[in-house]
Amino acid sequence: MHRISNAVRLLLLLIALGAFPAGAAPLQAQWEFRLLPGDAQGAAHPGLQQWRAATVPGSVHTDLLAHELIRDPYVGAPEAELQWIGLADWEYRARFDVDAASLAKAHAELRFDGLDTYAEVTLNGKPLLRADNAHRTWHARVEGRLRAKGNELQIVFRSPIRTLLPGVQAMPHRIAGNYPSPYGDEPKDAMVGNFARKPAYHFGWDWGPRYVTAGVWRGVDLQAWDAHRLTDVAVRTDALDAENAKLAVVLQVEQDAVAAPIAVDVEVRDPDGRSVARVQRTVELKPGRNSVDLPVELAKPRRWWPVGHGAQDRYTVQARLDGSADPVLAREQRIGLRTVELRREQDDKGGQGFAFVINGVPIFAKGANVIPFDAFPARVDAARLRQVLVAARDANMNMLRNWGGGYYEDDAFFDIADELGLLVWQDFMFGGGMQPGYDPAFRASVVAEARDNVRRLRHHPSIVLWCGNNEEETAWKDWGHGRDLKSADPAFAAKVWQGYVDLFGNDLRQVVSEDGLGVPYWSSSPSNDLDEKANDSTRGDKHYWQVWGNPALPVQAYLRETPRFMSEYGLQAWPAVATVDQIATRAEQRIDSPVIRAHQKFMAGEGNTRLLHYIELGYGTPKNFEDFVYLSQVMQADGIALAALHHRASRPYTMGSLYWQLNDVWPGASWSSVDYFGRWKALHYAARRFFAPVTVAALRDEGSTRVRLINDGAALDARWRLRVMDVEGKVLRRREQAVTLAAAGVTDIGTYADAELLAGADPARTVAVFELLQDGKVTARQVVGFVEAKDQVLPRQQLTSTLAIDGDHYRLRLHSAALVRAAWIDFGALDVQVEDNLLDLLPGETRDIAVRGPVDLAALREALKVKTLNDR
């Protein structure tokens, strides 16, 4: 089971990846925590009011776990018994010394990159600051308050539930929340999460647990300086094409009370480390904050491109004041040169497009939504981020949407996205329900939060959209949130909606316009940016949950919904049994067991009934829990492939397909394609095929199959082939011909009725195989059945497998005597990587699959299982 990341290793990673600002040193301190003396939870939990060692960054849950004072929050079903933690007040303290050089400086500041959430901070016994927003960066000037030895920083964290509940309960009419607590720690009719500026998912979601955290969740650092300091460097692109780049390097400099001239030096190095531009200037600083703009021009700039469209070249900009290398006077920033446009062209039918255009090139967005990587963010290290983002790139994705119910990711996330060429749609942190935007203090806090994070992240070329929130507009307009409040209190409803417009239509738009370096803003997802209709297939972006959600339409309904940009859709599946083994014993692995239900958050634990519904529609009733897991993954992969290929085949009307979701917050049932431990579900292997740059979309619906060839790149010559065959391999019909695939587009091959393809053959024993061939090799294939998988007559025991050493890896050879559907290769808990999986094998076909990992051949052979639909 995953445990807490080593604090020292995490700290070093954050420093190396630039998560701390230049010139700021992580506070070297010994941290401790305790239950605040006098807290009401003390009687039920004696002994917790004594000081114990704490890890910072961290949270009270992970500190309690480290001392074995609570059960692992992910194993078994401990969630109910741990809700008291979110009702308690906690205290942290740090003891630290300050070196003589820092004490001698005229100015000093403590910076808190993440306080979760309602915090009262004192330094050496005197109040320092009060915090109420976990997403903000908090600054406190401390000159004259530090001493050489024995400084003590104390932070009291108040329970967000107890802090906010009286005010919420006093409201005559309440705004809609998200997921009510099933545990009694908070009344179901008075949810506080919408009023708290902390990660919304901590209050529970339909894919993760309810753990209301507290603690110092990001770093604390100390900075000291004399007359002036460099606080920020931004690089604005004023003009960019293949021949020339006109940039402005904008420095923010803080000067003390005396005006003074200062020497400014800016150098730009190209992706190979060569100096390509340098500007030196003396400027007069006035007391307070100063903005210094320095123009820079580059000839033949090497632009940054999304993966699949060009290189991910990045430049380095270094700025210095007074020629000094002192960290408070120097800063280095890595940037990518690219232009971004959200193109919304009107069409002749009254619709409006929604396409991302990078460096003048329209990009079809292929990817998924990202949720938090853990319930406890501080234990997510760069290695885990890299594992999942590389998996996204390897599945031919080029865009990820950072969903709004979590937190703004560390720079490490965006550094990796920059490197891999993954575009990022970035939500502001609003996950659903409705917010008290009518409260000026709340709005002001959000604006400060937004500026902190936009300025922190704006140099990353991967970020191509800032979006106000997730699903708040559609919830108000389409789910009854607005209707119900208008019925109860029309005046208050009007006030709430105006607050929404003020916050998401104006405030955040202004922040992005002023500080976002040209990245576009979008007020909500889904929306048409505050147009009348929120979730419209003809304009704006679309969330589509009529499949899986209500009314739980069959997956074929995906083919009848053609959006301009699909930013959410999904089907659930359980992770591999090897992952389930980490949270439940084999005896507990039943669809209806308490532990399994505890890790199925959809429909408050009843979600397996919905999952079983979709499995039985297409694949029949599972024989046992292992079969349930396997069929859930096959169903998920097949259904999402159907939708994604339909979206891609609808280009240019549709210009994006982001399924829900890429990753997991904990081990359990969810819509993810990569589970909590990084294991690929069947969907992720399928995504590598349906998001491939060149592929075939053969989509059958209502008795006919429409075939289109998809090509993301330049025009190319190929051949396409159709074979209709029975399950034993007899070819009943064959067609093959040359084709030129349209550049960055779709080539329509035709539509084939079932009767035409079958010509009287038994539909239960016949399939149509559509293939794309390049240089004589099959590069894409779709096998189309004429009946549901549960009704196909597939020969049993047709697959043979052999494992052998093949150079620096193992080779798994699969051979099929007859048609084999959905072959799933499983090595249990062994740490191995399988080159390909979830395979259809045609009669007589042999496939060689590379297997890599630090495991000997005997162990591989013993662990190997291959499940197929033929075995059922």
Side-chain angles (χ1 to χ4, degrees):
M1 181 62 198
H2 175 82
R3 292 288 184 179
I4 304 168
S5 303
N6 180 277
V8 174
R9 182 168 64 90
L10 179 60
L11 204 58
L12 291 173
L13 279 168
L14 290 171
I15 295 167
L17 290 166
F20 294 102
L27 189 68
Q28 302 301 308
Q30 294 178 329
W31 287 89
E32 297 176 299
F33 83 109
R34 66 178 178 178
L35 183 68
L36 187 69
D39 187 270
Q41 297 297 326
H45 304 279
L48 290 183
Q49 293 170 345
Q50 68 184 58
W51 289 105
R52 290 177 170 85
T55 298
V56 169
S59 73
V60 66
H61 287 76
T62 52
D63 286 330
L64 291 168
L65 180 60
H67 289 281
E68 299 182 344
L69 296 169
I70 60 172
R71 287 203 286 156
D72 192 308
Y74 289 0
V75 177
E79 198 172 341
E81 70 192 56
L82 299 180
Q83 294 308 307
W84 66 272
I85 300 171
L87 291 170
D89 293 342
W90 298 90
E91 185 176 13
Y92 279 72
R93 73 180 180 189
R95 291 193 172 102
F96 63 97
D97 300 331
V98 180
D99 63 84
S102 295
L103 281 175
K105 300 286 187 183
H107 308 284
E109 180 182 88
L110 277 171
R111 170 177 167 142
F112 302 85
D113 287 331
L115 296 174
D116 181 14
T117 294
Y118 294 93
E120 301 155 13
V121 185
T122 62
L123 176 64
N124 295 329
K126 295 183 179 179
L128 187 64
L129 66 85
R130 297 175 71 94
D132 60 0
N133 187 327
H135 302 298
R136 284 185 62 179
T137 300
W138 297 93
H139 304 260
R141 297 294 286 267
V142 293
E143 55 261 30
R145 300 184 60 175
L146 297 171
R147 51 196 183 218
K149 300 289 184 181
N151 294 279
E152 185 168 283
L153 187 66
Q154 289 184 293
I155 309 175
V156 172
F157 290 98
R158 301 294 180 181
S159 162
I161 298 172
R162 287 166 49 192
T163 298
L164 293 170
L165 189 57
V168 175
Q169 289 181 310
M171 296 174 67
H173 300 287
R174 292 160 193 161
I175 57 178
N178 293 308
Y179 293 94
S181 173
Y183 303 114
D185 58 314
E186 174 184 88
K188 292 186 177 182
D189 64 345
M191 292 176 276
V192 305
N194 290 34
F195 298 85
R197 292 310 300 145
K198 77 180 260 94
Y201 79 107
H202 285 165
F203 294 91
W205 221 264
D206 60 1
W207 36 253
R210 179 183 175 92
Y211 289 127
V212 182
T213 60
V216 186
W217 76 282
R218 277 186 169 147
V220 180
D221 59 76
L222 174 65
Q223 185 179 74
W225 70 98
D226 282 318
H228 41 248
R229 62 171 173 167
L230 179 60
T231 59
D232 191 36
V233 176
V235 181
R236 188 180 70 241
T237 301
D238 292 330
L240 176 66
D241 57 28
E243 298 302 318
N244 190 54
K246 293 184 178 181
L247 312 175
V249 180
V250 184
L251 313 183
Q252 300 301 321
V253 184
E254 185 177 320
Q255 174 69 16
D256 66 10
V258 179
I262 189 171
V264 179
D265 185 347
V266 170
E267 182 181 20
V268 180
R269 297 193 297 272
D270 73 8
D272 299 319
R274 296 172 300 200
S275 180
V276 291
R278 188 167 189 176
V279 179
Q280 295 175 303
R281 184 175 298 174
T282 298
V283 299
E284 187 75 20
L285 296 181
K286 66 180 188 300
R289 296 177 181 177
N290 295 261
S291 183
V292 179
D293 285 34
L294 300 174
V296 174
E297 287 200 39
L298 303 177
K300 300 288 185 183
R302 292 159 63 175
R303 291 176 290 180
W304 183 95
W305 291 91
V307 62
H309 294 270
Q312 287 73 57
D313 286 324
R314 286 177 289 168
Y315 288 76
T316 300
V317 177
Q318 184 183 70
R320 291 188 178 191
L321 307 182
D322 294 330
S324 175
D326 185 331
V328 300
L329 301 176
R331 182 169 289 214
E332 192 169 276
Q333 200 82 281
R334 205 167 184 196
I335 65 167
L337 302 179
R338 57 96 182 93
T339 60
V340 55
E341 173 194 356
L342 181 59
R343 186 169 292 172
R344 301 179 61 208
E345 294 178 332
Q346 296 283 349
D347 61 31
D348 57 5
K349 296 181 180 178
Q352 190 173 32
F354 190 101
F356 290 92
V357 180
I358 309 299
N359 298 326
V361 177
I363 306 294
F364 188 99
K366 305 178 296 184
N369 289 260
V370 174
I371 65 169
F373 289 76
D374 205 291
F376 313 111
R379 66 182 189 180
V380 179
D381 60 20
R384 182 141 45 127
L385 295 174
R386 178 169 292 278
Q387 178 189 37
V388 177
L389 267 61
V390 167
R393 190 274 313 275
D394 289 350
N396 291 306
M397 297 183 187
N398 61 20
M399 176 176 275
L400 301 174
R401 173 180 173 236
N402 271 339
W403 167 80
Y407 52 88
Y408 304 94
E409 286 286 351
D410 285 339
D411 276 84
F413 178 98
F414 300 95
D415 286 334
I416 297 166
D418 293 346
E419 172 195 333
L420 299 177
L422 295 171
L423 304 174
V424 177
W425 167 318
Q426 179 64 52
D427 282 1
F428 287 99
M429 289 301 113
F430 295 90
M434 183 53 74
Q435 307 299 325
Y438 50 83
D439 177 0
F442 182 90
R443 281 176 55 198
S445 180
V446 171
V447 168
E449 160 197 326
R451 289 201 190 278
D452 283 350
N453 287 283
V454 171
R455 288 174 176 174
R456 175 174 68 90
L457 298 172
R458 60 186 172 182
H459 64 280
H460 291 285
S462 53
I463 298 178
V464 295
L465 185 73
W466 286 95
C467 179
N469 65 69
N470 172 76
E471 295 188 339
E472 292 198 5
E473 184 180 345
T474 191
W476 181 265
K477 292 180 176 179
D478 304 326
W479 301 357
H481 292 186
R483 179 200 62 219
D484 294 346
L485 193 57
K486 289 174 187 175
S487 175
D489 189 337
F492 182 52
K495 182 179 178 180
V496 170
W497 178 247
Q498 186 59 52
Y500 176 95
V501 173
D502 290 340
L503 180 58
F504 297 109
N506 301 323
D507 293 349
L508 294 181
R509 192 184 309 275
Q510 182 175 348
V511 170
V512 174
S513 174
E514 292 173 351
D515 292 331
L517 300 178
V519 170
Y521 174 78
W522 191 245
S523 62
S524 182
S525 181
S527 78
N528 193 34
D529 206 18
L530 284 170
D531 203 355
E532 182 177 352
K533 192 173 181 181
N535 197 14
D536 187 354
S537 289
T538 68
R539 301 164 68 87
D541 71 310
K542 177 81 173 181
H543 292 194
Y544 182 70
W545 288 104
Q546 279 70 36
V547 175
W548 181 265
N550 291 320
L553 298 176
V555 295
Q556 287 77 16
Y558 280 135
L559 300 177
R560 300 157 206 157
E561 184 68 37
T562 308
R564 307 312 296 251
F565 191 106
M566 187 71 89
S567 47
E568 274 193 30
Y569 63 102
L571 292 165
Q572 237 196 32
W574 273 84
V577 171
T579 291
V580 180
D581 284 341
Q582 302 296 300
I583 58 172
T585 66
R586 286 299 173 97
E588 293 168 327
Q589 291 180 25
R590 308 184 313 275
I591 292 176
D592 60 349
S593 81
V595 171
I596 294 302
R597 285 173 56 87
H599 288 261
Q600 167 58 277
K601 292 299 180 182
F602 183 66
M603 294 170 58
E606 300 292 337
N608 283 338
T609 59
R610 180 66 53 84
L611 187 49
L612 193 59
H613 164 74
Y614 276 94
I615 291 171
E616 290 181 333
L617 276 179
Y619 305 90
T621 302
K623 296 179 289 188
N624 50 41
F625 186 78
E626 184 176 350
D627 198 37
F628 172 66
V629 169
Y630 164 70
L631 291 178
S632 75
Q633 291 203 20
V634 174
M635 179 277 298
Q636 181 192 39
D638 287 350
I640 299 303
L642 193 71
L645 287 171
H646 169 59
H647 302 152
R648 294 190 68 194
S650 301
R651 180 175 183 166
Y653 184 90
T654 302
M655 284 299 290
S657 182
L658 308 180
Y659 65 74
W660 185 270
Q661 64 209 57
L662 176 65
N663 61 311
D664 273 336
V665 73
W666 76 330
S670 82
W671 296 261
S672 73
S673 60
V674 177
D675 78 18
Y676 177 76
F677 295 110
R679 294 185 175 104
W680 290 24
K681 293 182 183 176
L683 170 58
H684 210 75
Y685 289 98
R688 188 160 57 187
R689 293 188 282 270
F690 62 65
F691 281 151
V694 178
T695 194
V696 57
L699 305 175
R700 180 179 176 273
D701 187 31
E702 296 181 333
S704 65
T705 301
R706 185 176 180 185
V707 183
R708 284 161 285 184
L709 305 179
I710 297 166
N711 176 28
D712 286 342
L716 60 87
D717 294 328
R719 301 186 69 81
W720 73 272
R721 180 168 69 194
L722 162 66
R723 287 179 289 170
V724 180
M725 64 177 67
D726 67 19
V727 295
E728 305 292 347
K730 182 180 178 181
V731 176
L732 308 177
R733 179 180 174 184
R734 178 187 178 105
R735 181 180 176 188
E736 182 175 332
Q737 68 183 60
V739 63
T740 298
L741 274 64
V746 178
T747 303
D748 197 336
I749 295 300
T751 301
Y752 299 85
D754 286 358
E756 176 187 359
L757 293 172
L758 286 167
D762 183 353
R765 297 181 57 84
T766 308
V767 294
V769 182
F770 295 92
E771 294 171 315
L772 188 64
L773 296 88
Q774 295 173 263
D775 299 324
K777 295 181 180 179
V778 176
T779 56
R781 172 192 291 167
Q782 268 199 272
V783 178
V784 177
F786 297 96
V787 296
E788 297 288 355
K790 65 182 179 181
D791 298 320
Q792 280 191 314
V793 179
L794 298 171
R796 295 176 63 84
Q797 298 178 338
Q798 294 300 308
L799 193 66
T800 59
S801 62
T802 57
L803 264 168
I805 297 173
D806 188 3
D808 64 350
H809 62 276
Y810 299 103
R811 182 191 70 243
L812 172 63
R813 175 162 290 172
L814 300 178
H815 178 77
S816 174
L819 177 66
V820 167
R821 300 300 306 270
W824 178 251
I825 304 161
D826 187 5
F827 288 101
L830 293 184
D831 183 19
V832 296
Q833 294 80 47
V834 180
E835 177 187 28
D836 203 0
N837 217 331
L838 193 70
L839 306 170
D840 289 340
L841 281 83
L842 301 183
E845 185 174 12
T846 298
R847 290 285 304 274
D848 285 343
I849 309 296
V851 180
R852 292 180 169 84
V855 182
D856 63 41
L857 184 58
L860 274 182
R861 285 173 172 164
E862 183 178 355
L864 174 64
K865 291 183 180 178
V866 183
K867 291 181 68 70
T868 75
L869 292 179
N870 299 55
D871 303 329
R872 307 199 66 258

